Every structure is written in structure tokens, then in C-alpha cells.
Amino acid sequence: MGSQNRAVQSESAAELPQFAMLQMITGFWVSRASYVAAKLGLADMVKDTPKTADELARLTGTHAPSLYRVLRALASVGVFAEDGQGHFAKTTLSETLRSDTPGSMRALAMVELGQEHFPAWGNLMHSVKTGETAFDNLFKQNAWEYYARNPEDASNFNKAMKGLTEMVNQAVLSAYDFSGFNKVVDVAGGTGGLISAILKTNPKMRGVLFDLPSVIAEAGPLLDAADVRDRCETAPGDFFVSVPAGGDAYVMKWIIHDWDDAKSKTILENIGKAMKGNGKLLLIETVVPEGNHPDLSKFLDLNMMVMTGGRERTEAEFKSLLAASGFELMRVIRTASPVCVIEAVRA
């Protein structure tokens, strides 16, 4: 009878609003433990064979009892699975932290939870009090200057963006028909994940991958892997100055959200000058829904406030920004992913 009462009390406690808030407050515990797993490459080490904490500690040069405690905690939320003999095996969640899997989240975990985003989020109150960018205040430079001075972190950031691109590419290609375009310019397209997917699906199309010189330098392997290098020009440059001319479609994925309205307007106006008269602008971004509906975009918006001074936008805000930049919003196309395709033409 006593144990039944304790079980009932436990179930009741789980329903308390304080318990729900406790889970929210301590959510970063799971995040940081996941960071350790990603940084150490644990998912790669158990992809074929389960291993004990002692074995993994030897492979990673870590303290076995402490590593075990991290693994046990992660197993309790589905990242890894512990058997009765102390071995830790892969799970569907741990597979996302592998280095060699499509859409890998490993680099993203290291970027978001390592020495860049995580400390900047600790400075969130500065943004709330001042309207300034938390990262800039903490690091005394903006994120792009930081990456320019820290090439290893910049490379990891590019890998993280590649993983995110792989996650949404198919959703974008399934939702939007690119086949009517002859030349697509991917503005700030990183190492070429999106333009490679577009060109591979449309074998008669030509493309241009445009980004900073240091980013473009890493694009070759991906273009080669997709077998599209002969149809994809790489063009280094700065979109605040100009973008390559002559495209009948200009696509940007998760770029405009990095910038405030004034800087976004400059980028969009430069695209308007470069595109053909009947060209289309395609922004691939999250669109913030109205009301209290839970949505990733609302917290991604905070990440932009902390890291870059940018923002996620509602459909109305996109319409206003586009109009101020010389474009007319035509439609917003939802995809089976967090992003939408925002289609616009020159006004």
C-alpha cells in the first residue's frame, strides 16, 4: 500500500507545474552532456560495437568513472543505450551525432554548445537590457570577425551549416520546383550543399556558388561528390558590395536572419541590381507564427539576437522588408522542415 501511495505521489509530482519548469530550467544539463559526447566523438566509437565506459575512456583520454556518469545520464534520455553489463550502444539519437552520417548534428552540437554560442547565451541579459548583440559585447568582436580569426572554429561552423542544409534540402526540393530556372545563384551558399542539391536534381541547370573566399575554398569536395562542379561556378565576394549578375533565381538559406533590417536591405538591394528583370528571389528561412504556438523559430530568434544582432521574422515583417528593398512578396511555401521558401519578385 505504501509503495502504491509513493507511486501515485510520484506521478502527481510529475504533473506539477514546478516539475515542468524544473525540466526547462535544467535543460542545459542535457545539452552540455550532449556536447561532451559530440566533442569526444563517442557516437562514432559505438556505431559498430557497444563499448564500456572504460573502453571509451581509453580511446578518448578521459576519466572513466566520470565518463560513465555522463553516458548513464545520456542513456536515460535516449542518447546511447546501456545494457546490463555496462556496455553503451548506439541509438537513433546517437546516430545523429556521428561524423559520417548525412545531416550529422555533431558539428552543430560543438558550435552551439562549445566556446562560441554557449558563453554568448550566458550574456543574454546584456542584449535584453541594451538591445546590443551579446556575442559582440562578450568577445569584443562580432561573430564573423571571430571566425575569420579562428579558422578551425570557422571550419566547424561550416560543417554545422552543412549538416543543417542536408537536413532541410530534400524538404525544400520537394516543396519548390526549381526546374524553370536556367541559372541559380546561391548567395552566401557556404560550401555548396544547397546549390549542389538543386543542380543534381536539375541536370540542365547551371549554378553559381557565392560566398567569402575562405568559405568558397572548402566547397570543392562537396561539388565533386555531387558531380556538379562542371555546372557550378564558384565566385568569392562580399554581398554588402555586390553579388554575381545574370541569374534568373537568387537563393539564400538562413542568411537574412543573420542581419538587422538595414543590413538585410543592403543585401537584398544588391541582389535586385544583379538579377534578370523577370528573376525570382527565394529566401529559405523560418517564418515566425503569430500567437502562442510553440515553434523553433521563436527561440532561433533569440539565438540571432545573442549571436549576430539579426532576427527571425513573421510573414508580415518579411513583406515589409522586401517592399523596402524593391521586392514584392509573392508567396510563402511551407516545407516538411522548420524552413519555408519565401518567393519574391522585383516590384
Side-chain angles (χ1 to χ4, degrees):
M1 187 69 172
S3 62
Q4 288 180 338
N5 285 340
R6 284 194 295 273
V8 170
Q9 290 171 358
S10 178
E11 290 174 6
S12 298
E15 296 173 0
L16 290 172
Q18 289 90 341
F19 185 79
M21 181 53 67
L22 175 65
Q23 289 182 307
M24 292 184 186
I25 291 169
T26 59
F28 78 95
W29 296 354
V30 179
S31 300
R32 287 295 284 177
S34 299
Y35 164 77
V36 169
K39 183 72 173 178
L40 295 176
L42 300 180
D44 290 331
M45 297 174 188
V46 301
K47 67 180 181 179
D48 297 319
T49 307
K51 290 182 174 61
T52 65
D54 286 342
E55 291 173 311
L56 291 169
R58 284 194 295 272
L59 290 169
T60 57
T62 55
H63 182 244
S66 298
L67 183 60
Y68 171 78
R69 292 163 71 179
V70 171
L71 288 163
R72 178 178 62 183
L74 288 173
S76 76
V77 292
V79 184
F80 307 113
E82 184 181 10
D83 65 15
Q85 287 74 46
H87 291 82
F88 290 90
K90 67 182 180 182
T91 65
T92 54
L93 285 178
S94 73
E95 290 286 274
T96 69
L97 294 179
R98 280 173 48 183
S99 303
D100 58 352
T101 187
S104 171
M105 296 286 101
R106 185 188 178 197
L108 183 69
M110 290 190 285
V111 167
E112 291 291 335
L113 302 166
Q115 67 268 29
E116 302 141 54
H117 286 65
F118 193 77
W121 266 85
N123 200 33
L124 172 62
M125 187 65 78
H126 178 80
S127 290
V128 174
K129 285 186 174 182
T130 67
E132 298 173 356
T133 306
F135 183 98
D136 296 12
N137 171 259
L138 183 66
F139 286 87
K140 309 308 177 187
Q141 60 188 315
N142 67 41
W144 315 117
E145 291 168 337
Y146 173 89
Y147 285 130
R149 292 167 181 162
N150 295 273
E152 184 176 344
D153 292 335
S155 180
N156 202 44
F157 176 77
N158 289 335
K159 290 176 184 176
M161 295 304 100
K162 176 177 177 287
L164 285 174
T165 293
E166 289 171 344
M167 182 180 72
V168 303
N169 274 353
Q170 191 52 54
V172 169
L173 290 169
S174 296
Y176 191 87
D177 182 8
F178 288 85
S179 63
F181 302 123
N182 295 313
K183 184 178 181 181
V184 174
V185 181
D186 190 355
V187 177
T191 56
L194 179 60
I195 192 65
S196 292
I198 293 171
L199 293 177
K200 193 169 185 177
T201 307
N202 298 276
K204 295 183 179 180
M205 182 186 294
R206 300 195 67 80
V208 178
L209 176 62
F210 175 77
D211 212 313
L212 296 171
S214 60
V215 179
I216 289 290
E218 297 189 29
L222 202 153
L223 297 176
D224 286 336
D227 195 25
V228 298
R229 186 192 277 262
D230 61 331
R231 293 188 287 122
C232 188
E233 173 190 350
T234 55
D238 180 351
F239 54 31
F240 287 118
V241 178
S242 65
V243 300
D248 50 357
Y250 285 75
V251 61
M252 285 192 290
K253 180 184 66 63
W254 275 326
I255 302 301
I256 289 299
H257 76 165
D258 284 331
W259 307 99
D260 61 23
D261 283 357
K263 290 185 174 68
S264 295
K265 184 171 178 286
T266 298
I267 299 167
L268 293 171
E269 287 176 339
N270 284 338
I271 291 174
K273 295 172 186 175
M275 70 163 44
K276 291 182 177 179
N278 60 347
K280 288 185 177 178
L281 170 68
L282 305 171
L283 304 180
I284 300 173
E285 301 274 358
T286 62
V287 176
V288 181
E290 304 288 354
N292 296 323
H293 178 73
D295 194 88
L296 173 66
S297 63
K298 296 178 180 180
F299 283 90
L300 190 56
D301 179 54
L302 297 186
N303 194 53
M304 295 302 104
M305 181 170 70
V306 164
M307 291 299 298
T308 69
R311 64 188 308 120
E312 304 302 323
R313 295 173 172 88
T314 64
E315 182 172 340
E317 288 170 334
F318 272 115
K319 184 175 182 179
S320 176
L321 173 63
L322 288 165
S325 308
F327 287 91
E328 179 184 359
L329 175 63
M330 300 303 292
R331 53 181 177 153
V332 175
I333 304 156
R334 302 281 170 179
T335 75
S337 78
V339 302
C340 301
V341 180
I342 302 158
E343 183 187 68
V345 297
R346 285 198 297 188

